[in-house]
Amino acid sequence: MDDLLTQVEPMIPALRRYARGLIRDREAADDIVQDCLERVVTNWTHRRDANARSWVFAILHNLAVNKIRQDVRRAGIVTIDEMPEATATVDASQDDTLFGQDVLAAIERLPPDYRSILLLVAVEDLSYAETATVLDVPVGTVMSRLSRAREQLRLILESKPTSAKPVGPFIRRIK
């Protein structure tokens, strides 16, 4: 444990500078440094080099890159408090409502394993790795099933309903 303290503690200011340079948000950078230090302590015995500097900075870099990617992916997300009230309450058009009902019905028609992966990734916003952990399957299986689920959902939505009734006036002959 003394080895950990003597090697890592002097790096903390440099880690904070590097994280702030990458993230450009003081609080988020400090959070990433904290996450990095937590991983360093947890995995200290698994390092390969006697000099841990590059290993620690690699952990920090990977965490920062993941944070940047997450921020880019969620760039359009606005909290409810920040949203103007006028945009928060927009009535759906009839077409939107009908399409939403069609999508829900199409999701119900998917096989259970496709439906669960689609809901976890698309609705619950879980990553592929998180979804794989939840379902106890490999990440590759999540990706292939998600691809098949999306394709099958697209085909269901594009197909014409088989039980559609003919449209138009009905003429009845009365004697």
Side-chain angles (χ1 to χ4, degrees), residues 13-62:
L15 292 170
R16 291 179 76 196
R17 274 192 310 274
Y18 184 58
R20 287 180 183 173
L22 290 175
I23 302 295
R24 299 188 179 171
D25 177 8
R26 185 181 191 133
E27 292 173 3
D30 287 343
D31 288 343
I32 288 177
V33 170
Q34 182 68 33
D35 292 343
C36 173
L37 293 173
E38 181 182 334
R39 289 188 184 192
V40 167
V41 169
T42 303
N43 298 309
W44 185 251
T45 58
H46 301 294
R47 73 186 191 289
R48 294 186 183 142
D49 277 339
N51 181 2
R53 187 170 177 81
S54 61
W55 178 69
V56 173
F57 272 90
I59 292 171
L60 179 71
H61 179 80
N62 290 335

Side-chain angles (χ1 to χ4, degrees), residues 1 7 34 37 48 59 77 122 127 130 134 146 159 175:
M1 197 62 150
Q7 287 191 36
Q34 182 68 33
L37 293 173
R48 294 186 183 142
I59 292 171
I77 296 176
S127 69
E130 292 168 330
V134 168
L146 181 62
S159 70
K175 284 189 183 185

